[in-house]
Amino acid sequence: MKYLFFSLFIFMFGVASAQNSPGTLERLSGISNNGVNYYNIEGIKLYSYAIDLDFSKQNILANFNDLREEQLASSDETLAFKNYHVADQHKDSLGFISYFSTYFIESENNKIIAISFASVDKSEKELERELVHLIRNNAIPKSVYHKMTTDTVNFAGRQLLLDFPCQWMDVNSLQCPKCGQINWSLHPTLRSAQDVLDNFAATTEMNKFGKLVTDTSIQVIFEGKETTARKIVFDVSERVTELNLSEGTKTLTAYYVVVPSGTNYISCIMSHWNNDQLNQNGLPPLIDKIMQLKI
């Protein structure tokens, strides 16, 4: 991997929380693939991987093509080991500020570990430092990681059995062709969880994904809890070719839900196309496993 920062797509938007608590590992989810570990925590995206070279500025520069030497001018002095810290931010056309933060740290065997964070709206240094320590100390348990196979998925602590084909689009972002898509994260506060959903909805609408048809509130049962969901329907019929959608695709329906989950809160975005496989209750099989419409 030769790049410094990873891109933020619409589906990756999230707001970092302002909390750093003992429940960090409960809220952390990951996927390990080809030597790279990808994580999601409270809407923050990060990845880490080790480089089998001695820790030095020269070796870091040799492995990151878009990194300039002057960017390695500072370190995080609160960390009790050698490191270089690179931070950046930019404001996009929608008015959102994206924060990027990369730590190049010396491992216990004097090699290089790169850990990169991306978040929107807030930058949480204390949480970053906690995760840097956890990664360096190999202190993240296997239970945090999703299996690459998706027959059984850890959904906020519950094993979700899937009897149809699915694929990971990102950490905690599961797409099942013709059966729906879900994207979730765990948060320490209601405000943090709600901000993620509001932010996501705003960026989707402002990017003119399609024509807004309806934006309503409905009563649902999500993971056994009665709550109110925000339901948004977009007309995408004029963008079928542009978005490479299948013939007959006319609308995208999205549901946004926040409910308590143990000592945390879960934010979840569920979506499906009009020509997906729908059960009698009007929901595709994947979404039907975690939410029902209250009649």
Side-chain angles (χ1 to χ4, degrees):
M1 188 173 295
K2 300 294 186 181
Y3 52 87
L4 175 60
F5 298 122
F6 51 90
S7 299
L8 284 177
F9 296 98
I10 292 177
F11 70 87
M12 296 174 66
F13 268 88
V15 180
S17 78
Q19 301 290 327
N20 180 19
S21 74
T24 296
L25 287 174
E26 293 180 5
R27 297 188 291 274
L28 184 67
S29 296
I31 291 177
S32 185
N33 189 26
N34 294 325
V36 184
N37 296 318
Y38 302 90
Y39 302 98
N40 175 311
I41 182 168
E42 303 165 29
I44 300 171
K45 306 291 180 176
L46 62 146
Y47 73 81
S48 72
Y49 69 101
I51 302 172
D52 191 23
L53 292 173
D54 291 339
F55 182 85
S56 71
K57 185 179 294 187
Q58 292 72 24
N59 284 337
I60 293 171
L61 291 170
N63 278 267
F64 291 87
N65 294 339
D66 54 358
L67 184 65
R68 303 184 307 276
E69 184 172 1
E70 56 266 27
Q71 291 178 282
L72 298 181
S74 62
S75 61
D76 187 333
E77 296 181 355
T78 67
L79 300 177
F81 40 81
K82 294 179 182 178
N83 73 90
Y84 295 103
H85 180 223
V86 182
D88 193 16
Q89 66 184 65
H90 68 80
K91 188 174 184 179
D92 64 21
S93 59
L94 302 177
F96 292 98
I97 300 178
S98 298
Y99 294 90
F100 304 95
S101 180
T102 297
Y103 297 80
F104 301 100
I105 65 173
E106 184 180 42
S107 69
E108 292 183 346
N109 60 348
N110 308 117
K111 303 299 182 181
I112 301 168
I113 300 175
I115 308 171
S116 210
F117 297 81
S119 59
V120 176
D121 193 50
K122 291 182 180 180
S123 179
E124 297 297 335
K125 293 305 176 189
E126 290 306 313
L127 183 57
E128 289 181 7
R129 289 164 181 151
E130 180 181 5
L131 290 166
V132 165
H133 278 284
L134 288 170
I135 292 170
R136 184 178 188 268
N137 295 334
N138 293 315
I140 297 179
K142 292 182 179 180
S143 59
V144 161
Y145 296 94
H146 291 298
K147 297 183 299 181
M148 290 304 295
T149 56
T150 56
D151 54 340
T152 304
V153 170
N154 183 346
F155 180 74
R158 178 169 79 90
Q159 294 302 310
L160 199 63
L161 179 63
L162 303 176
D163 47 7
F164 37 80
C166 299
Q167 60 188 350
W168 291 112
M169 303 303 292
D170 192 17
V171 181
N172 288 3
S173 182
L174 189 66
Q175 181 189 68
C176 306
K178 294 297 181 180
C179 293
Q181 181 167 351
I182 59 176
N183 185 346
W184 73 96
S185 56
L186 289 172
H187 306 260
T189 67
L190 175 62
R191 175 61 184 272
S192 172
Q194 191 62 55
D195 280 349
V196 166
L197 299 190
D198 293 344
N199 211 5
F200 190 102
T203 56
T204 302
E205 184 174 351
M206 293 176 71
N207 271 291
K208 300 186 183 303
F209 181 79
K211 294 180 180 179
L212 180 64
V213 178
T214 59
D215 186 346
T216 58
S217 295
I218 63 171
Q219 296 304 302
V220 301
I221 301 174
F222 181 86
E223 287 290 272
K225 300 179 177 68
E226 294 188 15
T227 188
T228 300
R230 183 179 180 183
K231 178 183 178 181
I232 302 179
V233 179
F234 291 98
D235 181 345
V236 297
S237 56
E238 295 182 0
R239 299 193 65 190
V240 170
T241 301
E242 179 184 354
L243 297 173
N244 196 30
L245 302 176
S246 62
E247 185 178 353
T249 304
K250 297 180 179 179
T251 61
L252 173 72
T253 299
Y255 300 91
Y256 301 78
V257 173
V258 172
V259 297
S261 178
T263 58
N264 298 300
Y265 291 85
I266 181 172
S267 64
C268 188
I269 303 166
M270 299 155 282
S271 62
H272 68 86
W273 307 104
N274 63 286
N275 52 356
D276 281 350
Q277 174 188 334
L278 301 180
N279 295 337
Q280 289 186 346
N281 60 7
L283 297 175
L286 174 62
I287 298 176
D288 190 36
K289 286 184 175 292
I290 61 176
M291 186 183 78
Q292 293 76 46
L293 304 178
K294 190 174 180 182
I295 307 301

